[in-house]
Amino acid sequence: MNINIPYNGIKYFTFAESADFLLQNGDLFGPITIAYETFGKLNDNKDNSILVIHALTGDTHATSGYDMDDSTPGWWDTMVGPAKPIDTNKYHVICCNVFGGCMGTTGPSSINPATGNPYGKDFPLITVKDMVNVQKKLIDHLGINRLKSVIGGSLGGMVALEWAVAYPDILETTVIIASGYKTSPQIVAFYEVGRNAILADPEFADGNYYDGKGPQKGLAIARMIAHITYLSKTSIEDKFGKNLQEDVTEDDLLKFRFGPMFAVESYLRHQGRKFVDRFDANSYLYITKAMDMYDLTSGGATLLDVLTNIKSRTLIISFDSDWHFTPQDSWHLVKAMMNLGKDVTYVNLESPFGHDAFLLENGELERVIYSFINNSKGGK
Amino acid sequence: MNINIPYNGIKYFTFAESADFLLQNGDLFGPITIAYETFGKLNDNKDNSILVIHALTGDTHATSGYDMDDSTPGWWDTMVGPAKPIDTNKYHVICCNVFGGCMGTTGPSSINPATGNPYGKDFPLITVKDMVNVQKKLIDHLGINRLKSVIGGSLGGMVALEWAVAYPDILETTVIIASGYKTSPQIVAFYEVGRNAILADPEFADGNYYDGKGPQKGLAIARMIAHITYLSKTSIEDKFGKNLQEDVTEDDLLKFRFGPMFAVESYLRHQGRKFVDRFDANSYLYITKAMDMYDLTSGGATLLDVLTNIKSRTLIISFDSDWHFTPQDSWHLVKAMMNLGKDVTYVNLESPFGHDAFLLENGELERVIYSFINNSKGGK
C-alpha cells in the first residue's frame, strides 16, 4: 500500500525532532513532517501568502495551473492559479497536507521512530487545533509573519476558523466555506457509522494492517456513506434518477440478485473502490474524529466568548443545497460575529450540488472570493 | 439464531404447496406460509376488515391492546386497539408479516423443501407486487371480498398503494403514510451502502450463514445508516446534541480512541446491536431491494396511466420533517390523483421526528386517520 503521492513540487519540513510538540491533549509528540506545495512567489515583505486548506481527503496539490509541466489536476484548479480568483501571479499560495493525513504529512501511517513500524493506533488523537498549530510551525519556518488569507472549505473551513481564533494577529482575512464551528450530530452519526464499518472489517487488525491489504471494504463503505452526504437530494435525482446501470436492462431487473442495478449504486461502489486506492483508513478515523470533536463551544464557552479575539476580515460562504454543513451552520457563526461587531461578510450561494459545490466551478463563488481578498477595506 | 417471535395470537396460512404461485418475475414458487394476527371480530357481512401493513422491519404484532393478557407491545399501539383510532371494537384488523420477511412468513430464512436447508440466496427476488399478491391469498382464505381499508406507512404505504392499483374493487379506502410511488435515488443510495456492508461481512458466507453467527456487524451497520435517515436533523439535535455519552467526561475526550464519545454514537451502536437480534440479514437484503425497485412508472408508464384504476377513497399523509419519504414524494402522488379526479385527501403533518413520526404518538395523525376511515363520504 503506497498512498503518498509524490507531486513534482512537494516539499517537506520536519520539526519537533526531540518530540517536543505540545498536543491539545497535553502530550508531547514528534518528530512531525509537514508536506506542502507553494504556488506563486513570496514577495519581499513576505505578506502576500495565502494558506489554502484542504478538506477531509485532500492533499497539497491545490492546483496544476502554476507549473506548466504539471499534468496532475489540482483539487482546486477552478480557484487557484495564474489569473485565477486566488491568483498565483499576485499571491504566494501555500497548501499543506493536514496533520494526521496520509499525503506526506505525519499521520498514523507514518513510521514511528520508536518502533520502526507505522504508528497505527499508537498515533495520538489529534484535533483541529493541533492541525493549526502544526501549520503555524510551517508558516514560521517560511519566515512569514502575516498571512493575506487563510481559506478552506468543510474541514478546511474549520481549520481556517481555528486559525482566526488562535492566531488573530497573523491573519488579514479568513474565508470559511461550507463549514461551521461544530459538526452537527447528524453528520457525526454518519461518520460514526463509517468508522464502525472500518473497525468491523477483519482486515483492520486493530489498526496495524500495513503489512496486509487493510480494511478496504470497510473504508469503501465509510466513503460511500459520506459521499451521499456530500451530494444534494436533487443532484442525485438529476444525475442518476432511477436510471439503470449500463449493462442492466428492465428485463434483467427481476432476475437480479444484489449486484448494483441502478446507476447510482454502481457510481457509489466506484467511488468507494477509488477512494481505497488513495487514502489510509487510520487517517480517515483520526481526521473524521477530529472534525466530530471540533466545537468552539465545548467546555461551556459561548460562541461570543470564543470569537471575540478574531481580528481578520471574515468571509463566510454557504450553499443553499448543502445539508452536510447547512446555511444554518454558517449563519450561527455569522450572527455571533455580527453581534460582536466583527467585519464579517456572509454569502449563501445557489448551487444544486450540495456540499460538493465548494470544489466545483460555480461562477459566483470565484467572483466573491476574488473580490473579498482583493478588497482593501479594513485590510492593510 | 432464532428470530421468529411466537406471539400468542399468531396464526399461519400455507398455500401454493405445489409451487404454483406466480411471481412478478415470471417464475413459480411455493409453498408459501403467511403469518398473521387478527384483532377485533369479523362481522357477518365480512366487510369490516382493515389490513394494516408494517414497514421494513415490522411484524404481525400491530397491537398489544386487544388481548388483555398480552404484555408484548405492538408496533402501532398508539393507533390500533379498542377505542383507538383504528378501533378493534368496530373493525377486524389484520396484520401479516410481509413476503420475504423473517417474522413467520416465508422468506430467505425459511426452509427450502427441496433441500431441507434455508433458502438463503436461492430465495427469489421478490417485489412489492408479490407482497400484495401473497396478502391477497390470505384475504381470500379468510373469505373477505371487501376491505374497509388498507393502511400502511413507509414500505407499508407502498404496499397499500399497490393494493389500491392492483385490486381496486376490493378496497373501500386506502391510507398511504410517509411513503411514495418510488424510493428516491438518495434513499436507494443509503440502502445500497447498507446492503454492501452486509455483503462485505465475511460471516455473510454468500447468504448461507444460518449455521454460523451471520453477518451481525454488517447488518448492524446497515441498520445504523438507515436509522439516521429515519430521524430528522433537528430530532437528532434535540435528542442528543453533542452530549457526551454517560461514562465520558470532557477530560476523557482527548484521551479517547474510537469508541463512542457522543451520546448519538452509543445510541446508534445500540440500535445496530438490538436489530441484529431480531432481524435476518437476507430478509433485509430482499426487502430493501424490493423497496428500491418499486416504481409505479418503471417500464415507461406514466403515473396517470397507472393510478387511473384506483377506485378507493385515498388518504395520503406526509410529515414536514421527513426526508426519507419527503412531503414532495407524497405530493407527486396527490397531484396525479387530483389530475385524474380521484377522491384523494392529502395532509402534511407537523412533527419534529422525521420519518419515524408515523410510528409515534402525534395527535393529529390519529385524528386524521380516525375521521377518514369513519367518514362515509364516497364509501359504502
Side-chain angles (χ1 to χ4, degrees):
Chain A
M1 198 172 82
N2 183 7
I3 38 183
N4 292 349
I5 298 166
Y7 295 115
N8 284 338
I10 205 164
K11 286 168 266 195
Y12 299 94
F13 164 59
T14 300
F15 63 96
E17 274 97 343
S18 52
D20 58 351
F21 180 79
L22 181 63
L23 296 170
Q24 196 180 350
N25 73 6
D27 291 344
L28 294 170
F29 182 78
I32 296 172
T33 295
I34 182 162
Y36 66 103
E37 290 185 69
T38 59
F39 313 96
K41 293 207 172 86
L42 187 60
N43 63 12
D44 293 341
N45 286 335
K46 297 192 173 185
D47 62 1
N48 72 330
S49 291
I50 294 180
L51 181 62
V52 166
I53 322 274
H54 66 71
L56 173 54
T57 70
D59 61 21
T60 58
H61 204 53
T63 181
S64 61
Y66 185 65
D67 177 356
M68 291 306 144
D69 296 333
D70 181 1
S71 60
T72 312
W75 58 264
W76 223 8
D77 274 338
T78 54
M79 192 66 76
V80 181
K84 297 276 178 74
I86 299 176
D87 188 349
T88 51
N89 289 333
K90 189 169 173 185
Y91 298 113
H92 173 247
V93 174
I94 307 161
C95 183
C96 50
N97 184 216
V98 297
F99 186 39
C102 53
M103 305 294 187
T105 294
T106 299
S109 59
S110 303
I111 298 299
N112 179 351
T115 64
N117 295 315
Y119 284 101
K121 69 161 194 174
D122 291 335
F123 197 73
L125 201 65
I126 54 164
T127 66
V128 168
K129 189 183 276 292
D130 292 328
M131 293 177 186
V132 169
N133 288 338
V134 165
Q135 290 168 356
K136 175 66 165 53
K137 293 283 183 188
L138 174 65
I139 299 305
D140 292 345
H141 166 71
L142 297 174
I144 295 165
N145 297 316
R146 182 88 177 147
L147 286 165
K148 178 71 186 172
S149 195
V150 177
I151 302 181
S154 196
L155 167 67
M158 288 179 157
V159 172
L161 173 61
E162 185 61 31
W163 260 99
V165 169
Y167 298 105
D169 295 317
I170 295 174
L171 276 60
E172 184 181 321
T173 67
T174 313
V175 181
I176 299 160
I177 311 167
S179 192
Y181 71 91
K182 64 177 178 182
T183 313
S184 77
Q186 186 191 50
I187 297 303
V188 169
F190 280 121
Y191 279 129
E192 167 68 2
V193 182
R195 286 190 293 265
N196 262 274
I198 294 169
L199 299 173
D201 188 328
E203 296 286 341
F204 179 65
D206 204 25
N208 298 314
Y209 51 75
Y210 294 100
D211 288 337
K213 62 175 191 165
Q216 298 182 351
K217 289 180 176 176
L219 181 59
I221 287 164
R223 178 60 167 182
M224 289 164 78
I225 298 170
H227 196 84
I228 304 172
T229 73
Y230 301 150
L231 307 174
S232 72
K233 194 177 182 85
T234 43
S235 68
I236 299 182
E237 186 81 49
D238 294 347
K239 190 165 178 180
F240 305 105
K242 291 291 271 286
N243 294 334
L244 300 176
Q245 72 147 330
E246 270 179 29
D247 54 347
V248 177
T249 67
E250 288 272 347
D251 285 344
D252 285 335
L253 263 191
L254 294 176
K255 301 291 179 189
F256 240 68
R257 298 293 159 157
F258 300 107
M261 275 179 189
F262 297 111
V264 65
E265 296 176 331
S266 43
Y267 169 80
L268 275 177
R269 288 193 188 197
H270 173 70
Q271 291 297 325
R273 273 194 304 268
K274 216 173 58 173
F275 185 62
V276 164
D277 292 336
R278 72 174 180 87
F279 212 78
D280 174 50
N282 277 323
S283 278
Y284 195 85
L285 293 176
Y286 278 89
I287 300 176
T288 58
K289 202 73 182 177
M291 288 182 74
D292 288 356
M293 286 193 301
Y294 189 62
D295 183 348
L296 280 184
T297 62
S298 66
T302 70
L303 205 47
L304 294 182
D305 288 343
V306 180
L307 299 181
T308 193
N309 284 341
I310 292 182
K311 293 183 183 168
S312 57
R313 283 195 299 128
T314 306
L315 171 62
I316 296 175
I317 299 173
S318 58
F319 296 95
D320 58 358
S321 63
D322 185 356
W323 64 281
H324 190 99
F325 280 106
T326 65
Q328 194 70 21
D329 291 325
S330 287
W331 189 235
H332 284 305
L333 207 47
V334 174
K335 274 193 300 190
M337 292 188 71
M338 291 183 76
N339 269 304
L340 289 164
K342 300 291 179 189
D343 188 347
V344 60
T345 304
Y346 172 54
V347 190
N348 182 36
L349 295 177
E350 284 174 31
S351 165
F353 298 115
H355 190 58
D356 268 355
F358 80 95
L359 291 168
L360 303 173
E361 189 163 5
N362 177 285
E364 287 191 311
L365 176 65
E366 295 83 349
R367 282 194 295 277
V368 164
I369 289 179
Y370 173 83
S371 313
F372 179 78
I373 298 171
N374 292 290
N375 177 355
S376 63
K377 172 176 81 86
K380 56 183 172 171
Chain B
M1 199 173 81
N2 180 7
I3 38 183
N4 292 348
I5 299 165
Y7 295 115
N8 284 339
I10 206 163
K11 285 168 269 196
Y12 299 94
F13 164 59
T14 300
F15 63 97
E17 274 97 343
S18 51
D20 58 351
F21 180 79
L22 181 64
L23 296 169
Q24 195 181 350
N25 73 6
D27 291 344
L28 294 171
F29 182 77
I32 297 171
T33 295
I34 182 162
Y36 66 103
E37 290 186 68
T38 60
F39 314 95
K41 292 205 173 85
L42 186 60
N43 64 10
D44 293 341
N45 287 335
K46 297 191 171 184
D47 62 2
N48 71 329
S49 290
I50 294 179
L51 181 61
V52 166
I53 321 274
H54 65 71
L56 173 53
T57 70
D59 61 20
T60 58
H61 205 53
T63 182
S64 62
Y66 185 66
D67 176 355
M68 290 307 143
D69 295 334
D70 180 1
S71 60
T72 313
W75 57 265
W76 222 7
D77 274 339
T78 53
M79 193 65 77
V80 182
K84 297 277 178 71
I86 300 175
D87 187 350
T88 51
N89 290 333
K90 191 170 171 184
Y91 298 113
H92 173 247
V93 174
I94 307 162
C95 183
C96 49
N97 184 216
V98 296
F99 185 39
C102 54
M103 304 294 186
T105 294
T106 299
S109 60
S110 303
I111 298 299
N112 178 351
T115 64
N117 294 316
Y119 284 101
K121 70 161 192 173
D122 291 334
F123 198 72
L125 201 66
I126 54 164
T127 66
V128 168
K129 191 183 274 292
D130 292 329
M131 294 176 185
V132 168
N133 288 337
V134 165
Q135 290 169 354
K136 176 65 166 50
K137 293 284 185 187
L138 174 65
I139 300 305
D140 291 345
H141 165 71
L142 297 174
I144 295 164
N145 298 314
R146 182 87 179 147
L147 286 165
K148 179 71 187 174
S149 195
V150 177
I151 302 181
S154 197
L155 167 65
M158 287 179 156
V159 173
L161 173 60
E162 185 61 31
W163 260 98
V165 169
Y167 298 104
D169 295 317
I170 295 173
L171 275 62
E172 184 181 321
T173 66
T174 312
V175 182
I176 299 160
I177 311 167
S179 192
Y181 72 91
K182 63 177 179 184
T183 313
S184 76
Q186 186 190 51
I187 297 302
V188 168
F190 280 120
Y191 279 129
E192 168 69 1
V193 182
R195 285 189 295 264
N196 262 274
I198 293 170
L199 298 173
D201 188 327
E203 296 286 341
F204 179 65
D206 204 25
N208 298 313
Y209 51 75
Y210 294 101
D211 287 339
K213 63 176 190 164
Q216 298 182 350
K217 289 181 176 174
L219 181 59
I221 286 163
R223 177 60 167 183
M224 290 164 76
I225 298 170
H227 196 84
I228 303 171
T229 73
Y230 301 148
L231 306 174
S232 73
K233 194 175 183 87
T234 43
S235 69
I236 299 181
E237 186 82 48
D238 293 348
K239 188 166 179 178
F240 304 106
K242 291 291 272 285
N243 294 334
L244 301 176
Q245 73 146 330
E246 268 180 28
D247 54 348
V248 177
T249 67
E250 289 272 347
D251 286 343
D252 285 334
L253 264 191
L254 294 177
K255 300 293 179 189
F256 241 67
R257 298 292 159 156
F258 301 107
M261 276 178 187
F262 298 111
V264 65
E265 296 176 331
S266 43
Y267 169 80
L268 274 179
R269 289 193 187 198
H270 174 71
Q271 291 297 326
R273 274 194 303 268
K274 217 174 57 173
F275 185 62
V276 165
D277 292 336
R278 73 175 179 86
F279 212 78
D280 174 50
N282 277 322
S283 278
Y284 195 84
L285 293 176
Y286 278 88
I287 300 176
T288 57
K289 202 73 181 176
M291 289 182 72
D292 289 355
M293 285 194 300
Y294 189 63
D295 183 348
L296 280 185
T297 62
S298 66
T302 71
L303 205 46
L304 294 182
D305 287 343
V306 180
L307 299 180
T308 192
N309 285 340
I310 292 182
K311 294 183 183 168
S312 58
R313 284 195 297 128
T314 306
L315 171 62
I316 297 175
I317 300 172
S318 59
F319 296 94
D320 58 358
S321 62
D322 185 356
W323 63 282
H324 190 98
F325 280 106
T326 65
Q328 194 71 19
D329 290 326
S330 287
W331 189 233
H332 284 305
L333 208 46
V334 173
K335 273 193 298 191
M337 292 188 72
M338 291 184 77
N339 269 303
L340 290 164
K342 301 292 180 187
D343 188 346
V344 60
T345 304
Y346 173 54
V347 191
N348 182 36
L349 295 177
E350 284 174 29
S351 165
F353 298 115
H355 190 58
D356 268 354
F358 80 95
L359 291 168
L360 303 173
E361 190 163 5
N362 176 286
E364 287 190 310
L365 176 65
E366 294 84 348
R367 282 195 294 277
V368 164
I369 289 179
Y370 173 83
S371 312
F372 179 78
I373 298 171
N374 292 288
N375 175 356
S376 62
K377 172 176 82 85
K380 60 185 171 171

